[in-house]
Amino acid sequence: MRKRYWVVLGFIGAITGLWAWNSSLIAGPSSNGKLEFIAHRGLHQTFHREGLTNQTCTAERIFPPSHDYLENTPESTNAAIELGADIVEIDIAPTMDNKLAVFHDWTLDCRTNGTGPIRDKKMADLRQLDVGYGYTADEGKTFPFRGKFVGQLYELSEFIKRVQPSDAKLLINFKSDDPEEAKLLLDYFENDPKLNQMTIAVYGGARPVAETIAKRPDLGGYSKQDTKACLLKYIALGWSGHVPEECHNKWVSVPANIAPAMWGWPHRLTKRLAEHNSRLVLLGPMDLTDIKSGTTGIDQLDQLDYIPENFDGYIWTNRLEVLKPALDAR
């Protein structure tokens, strides 16, 4: 009987110790970090995600516009910064003449009055297009941005010249897995001091991300492969306080509904990552019944509870204009 008592007591002690070792109630928030907003695509037109696939033209399903900004334009980026974005995400795509265009899609057909892949076009031709041509909120009855964004598909350096202030921070997205895109971006860094200063991290295709960070280890960054390897190993081993090497020197992106499964969530986890030069990026919830649907940002007012008090990581959002005022008021 006494032996069973000590076994039970030892079990309770082990569980209590494990809880304490991973408890944020004891760890408390970091004294150095702070919550920061990543404005995905700057201020832009959002869209419904029902039936969304990789082939869906999202410009054809936008919600009725509540503002006049389009993604990947300097005006969109500047508006997000003025509203309080700490970092603005932009997308880059290579052209036929080895330039980098700031544009989201692989092809022109969805958003513009052009056709075909970006990489098959010269930058001079891309500058002539109307990047607001294809946006509609009523299944093509009206096109509220058509004719208003002619000539606003910019080369990366042209884009940067129009972004203010000069100490703004950018997260750059590689849209493909072509390592040649990293070489192009690194050339831009060498020739454009303002871009070099503004860029804080890169993400997207695993090979261009790895190539860029190998040459620029001061940059943050991640790919889907990085994130998956980090999360799986940390969920398996993080109870011990161990942070796998796959989570070192990374931005670790975590869907909000999965975050509570991460050992030490939230404050002890962010501290552990910080000890290995990593930051946590809190995404929107993932639909666990449809993994292919991917994740969103923290975009709705009813998602504010996903953000812990005194959280000191990054918040990924598509609707900064909605989320930040509400969170400031909270």
Side-chain angles (χ1 to χ4, degrees):
M1 189 72 177
R2 181 174 294 179
K3 182 178 179 181
R4 182 180 297 178
Y5 169 81
W6 286 110
V7 169
V8 171
L9 190 63
F11 178 75
I12 293 173
I15 294 298
T16 302
L18 184 62
W19 173 83
W21 182 239
N22 289 283
S23 173
S24 285
L25 293 177
I26 297 174
S30 168
S31 60
N32 298 320
K34 69 183 184 72
L35 182 152
E36 295 186 78
F37 289 95
I38 300 175
H40 181 222
R41 308 189 195 183
L43 292 192
H44 67 284
Q45 303 303 315
T46 53
F47 47 85
H48 71 85
R49 300 180 63 86
E50 183 179 352
L52 191 67
T53 72
N54 289 337
Q55 305 302 316
T56 303
C57 175
T58 56
E60 294 176 348
R61 51 165 59 198
I62 62 170
F63 295 120
S66 59
H67 58 70
D68 296 328
Y69 298 106
L70 292 186
E71 64 198 58
N72 286 310
T73 60
E75 292 77 14
S76 163
T77 300
N78 291 338
I81 293 167
E82 185 174 350
L83 191 58
D86 299 280
I87 301 166
V88 179
E89 184 264 7
I90 63 172
D91 306 289
I92 56 173
T95 68
M96 178 188 290
D97 47 351
N98 293 319
K99 306 294 184 183
L100 287 174
V102 182
F103 192 70
H104 180 272
D105 294 352
W106 181 260
T107 66
L108 296 164
D109 304 69
C110 170
R111 303 178 194 281
T112 80
N113 55 336
T115 59
I118 284 267
R119 63 178 61 237
D120 291 346
K121 309 294 181 182
K122 293 182 178 180
M123 194 66 231
D125 297 325
L126 296 175
R127 289 190 184 97
Q128 309 305 314
L129 298 176
D130 179 359
V131 296
Y133 188 85
Y135 289 80
T136 179
D138 53 15
E139 299 182 337
K141 295 176 184 176
T142 60
F143 293 86
F145 300 106
R146 188 169 287 186
K148 298 179 180 179
F149 288 86
V150 177
Q152 295 196 42
L153 203 168
Y154 291 108
E155 182 191 358
L156 182 57
S157 285
E158 297 172 333
F159 181 96
I160 291 300
K161 288 178 183 177
R162 292 167 170 78
V163 172
Q164 298 295 332
S166 59
D167 61 351
K169 297 178 182 178
L170 298 178
L171 168 62
I172 295 181
N173 182 19
F174 291 111
K175 300 297 294 184
S176 83
D177 198 33
D178 183 357
E180 292 298 316
E181 293 184 28
K183 295 178 182 178
L184 287 176
L185 182 59
L186 289 165
D187 286 342
Y188 273 85
F189 285 154
E190 287 189 11
N191 295 302
D192 191 331
K194 186 178 179 183
L195 172 66
N196 192 44
Q197 175 184 336
M198 283 185 173
T199 305
I200 187 173
V202 294
Y203 83 111
R207 293 194 294 171
V209 166
E211 179 83 14
T212 302
I213 294 176
K215 298 291 178 62
R216 284 288 307 277
D218 57 305
L219 292 178
Y222 63 99
S223 66
K224 286 184 179 179
Q225 292 89 331
D226 293 333
T227 297
K228 182 178 180 180
C230 168
L231 296 187
L232 289 176
K233 286 200 172 183
Y234 185 79
I235 288 173
L237 302 172
W239 60 270
S240 67
H242 174 66
V243 178
E245 186 176 350
E246 289 81 358
C247 303
H248 296 187
N249 303 305
K250 296 287 192 304
W251 286 16
V252 180
S253 56
V254 184
N257 53 335
I258 293 176
M262 298 287 287
W263 295 98
W265 168 258
H267 304 310
R268 193 175 291 278
L269 172 61
T270 56
K271 284 184 175 180
R272 287 174 179 170
L273 291 175
E275 289 171 359
H276 296 280
N277 194 35
S278 294
R279 289 289 304 269
L280 189 146
V281 182
L282 186 63
L283 306 176
M286 173 185 284
D287 183 353
L288 298 177
T289 65
D290 181 13
I291 300 300
K292 291 183 179 179
S293 68
T295 56
T296 59
I298 306 289
D299 299 331
Q300 309 296 335
L301 293 180
D302 61 5
Q303 295 174 335
L304 285 177
D305 287 343
Y306 282 121
I307 305 173
E309 293 289 338
N310 300 311
F311 180 64
D312 57 355
Y314 294 126
I315 301 295
W316 184 278
T317 183
N318 291 285
R319 302 188 70 195
L320 182 75
E321 70 278 14
V322 171
L323 191 69
K324 189 174 188 304
L327 201 57
D328 286 347
R330 187 183 82 169

